[in-house]
Amino acid sequence: MRVLKKSSFYQITFMNHLFPINCYVYEEEDSLTLIDIGTKRFTKHVLSLSKNLNKPVTRLVLTHPHRDHVAGLDYFCSSNQNPIDTFITKRDNYLLEGCFDLLDNETGPKIKGSSVKTSHKPNHFVSEGDKIGSLEVIMTPGHTPGSLSLLDRSNKVLIVGDLVQVQGGLSVAGDTRWLFPFVTMGTWSLSKCIETVEKILNYDFDYLCCGHGDVLENPKPQLERVLVRAKSKVREV
Ligand SMILES: [Zn+2]
């Protein structure tokens, strides 16, 4: 595991060379917010960070409920001594409950990937503009229909889950990077991801944090470039 501090957050990385996974710990004045918990191996490191900072983990946000972002949920919640509020979008909670069907008002390809059955259930369904501590929820559909991102406006940090990947080469989810094809293999709709990356480019951020790969600083010029590449790949009906 690797723990890196940047700006107001920590990136914790499970350093598997085939399938590295990030979760993030966001530091508030008196508490911590954990973002994603992809394997139970993260628990020890999140809790020791909590101990070192002398701040409890009181919030857990799921950017989307694919296995590599929620598999450690039950283990973490049973190990954490503090009551915790858990946040997800209402749309993606269906995936966490095992239903990967499109809803009546949705069109597009099949939803991909898999989740895990958890005993710990999210107790808050969030939508655009909701605040979780100092983080603001931005709805960023594409990788899954109900994926969310988190924006810290004062420190200009944006955490996007798997809307983009950095591992294997920066790309919009759905635009395959062969050195790390797994994000695309789990992506619902490339065209939705493209629309959503266009949306996030309207926000002001200097740090881009995703589920797989390093934190990108000053990411906008690179994002503009991969957006062009992704648009050339759209083949969906
Ligand atoms: Zn992922």
Side-chain angles (χ1 to χ4, degrees):
M1 287 281 179
R2 182 184 72 182
V3 181
L4 288 178
K5 168 135 174 70
K6 300 242 177 192
S7 182
S8 48
F9 65 93
Y10 294 80
Q11 183 192 49
I12 305 181
T13 305
F14 173 49
M15 295 295 289
N16 181 301
H17 71 284
L18 275 181
F19 202 99
I21 302 171
N22 298 320
C23 75
Y24 294 90
V25 174
Y26 214 88
E27 189 171 3
E28 301 280 0
E29 214 170 287
D30 58 355
S31 58
L32 303 174
T33 302
L34 171 61
I35 298 133
D36 289 340
I37 181 75
T39 136
K40 67 181 195 178
R41 291 168 196 241
F42 284 113
T43 293
K44 184 169 82 174
H45 300 273
V46 173
L47 293 181
S48 87
L49 188 59
S50 162
K51 194 174 167 200
N52 294 342
L53 297 169
N54 198 23
K55 295 179 183 181
V57 182
T58 57
R59 291 167 297 272
L60 168 56
V61 188
L62 303 174
T63 61
H64 66 290
H66 279 152
R67 183 178 293 271
D68 57 314
H69 296 255
V70 300
L73 181 67
D74 282 345
Y75 186 75
F76 180 81
C77 290
S78 61
S79 309
N80 184 29
Q81 301 295 314
N82 307 289
I84 195 157
D85 283 312
T86 306
F87 303 82
I88 192 170
T89 63
K90 189 166 195 286
R91 174 64 189 93
D92 265 15
N93 195 56
Y94 289 115
L95 276 58
L96 188 61
E97 288 175 348
C99 177
F100 276 62
D101 297 335
L102 290 179
L103 301 181
D104 289 344
N105 61 353
E106 289 170 343
T107 53
K110 281 188 172 171
I111 301 169
K112 300 188 185 72
S114 63
S115 190
V116 288
K117 283 253 176 290
T118 61
S119 337
H120 181 87
K121 306 288 182 198
N123 58 343
H124 295 279
F125 295 148
V126 287
S127 48
E128 186 81 22
D130 286 350
K131 294 297 282 288
I132 303 172
S134 57
L135 297 167
E136 182 178 329
V137 173
I138 301 172
M139 298 296 278
T140 49
H143 181 62
T144 60
S147 289
L148 67 81
S149 294
L150 294 167
L151 177 67
D152 171 1
R153 287 185 187 265
S154 37
N155 295 298
K156 299 187 179 180
V157 176
L158 184 65
I159 300 170
V160 297
D162 284 356
L163 172 65
V164 301
Q165 69 181 75
V166 169
Q167 186 69 26
L170 178 65
S171 75
V172 176
D175 175 8
T176 308
R177 290 285 188 182
W178 291 107
L179 289 175
F180 192 76
F182 309 110
V183 171
T184 286
M185 285 159 67
T187 293
W188 169 48
S189 166
L190 172 59
S191 45
K192 284 275 191 312
C193 288
I194 289 170
E195 276 173 36
T196 297
V197 170
E198 285 175 333
K199 172 184 175 180
I200 64 166
L201 281 167
N202 293 316
Y203 294 93
D204 191 13
F205 57 95
D206 292 335
Y207 296 90
L208 180 72
C209 309
C210 67
H212 308 279
D214 292 342
V215 173
L216 277 191
E217 295 185 28
N218 304 313
K220 284 196 172 182
Q222 297 175 69
L223 271 181
E224 301 271 9
R225 276 201 296 279
V226 294
L227 197 52
V228 173
R229 183 188 132 123
K231 283 178 178 172
S232 74
K233 303 277 182 72
V234 177
R235 292 282 185 277
E236 289 169 8
V237 182

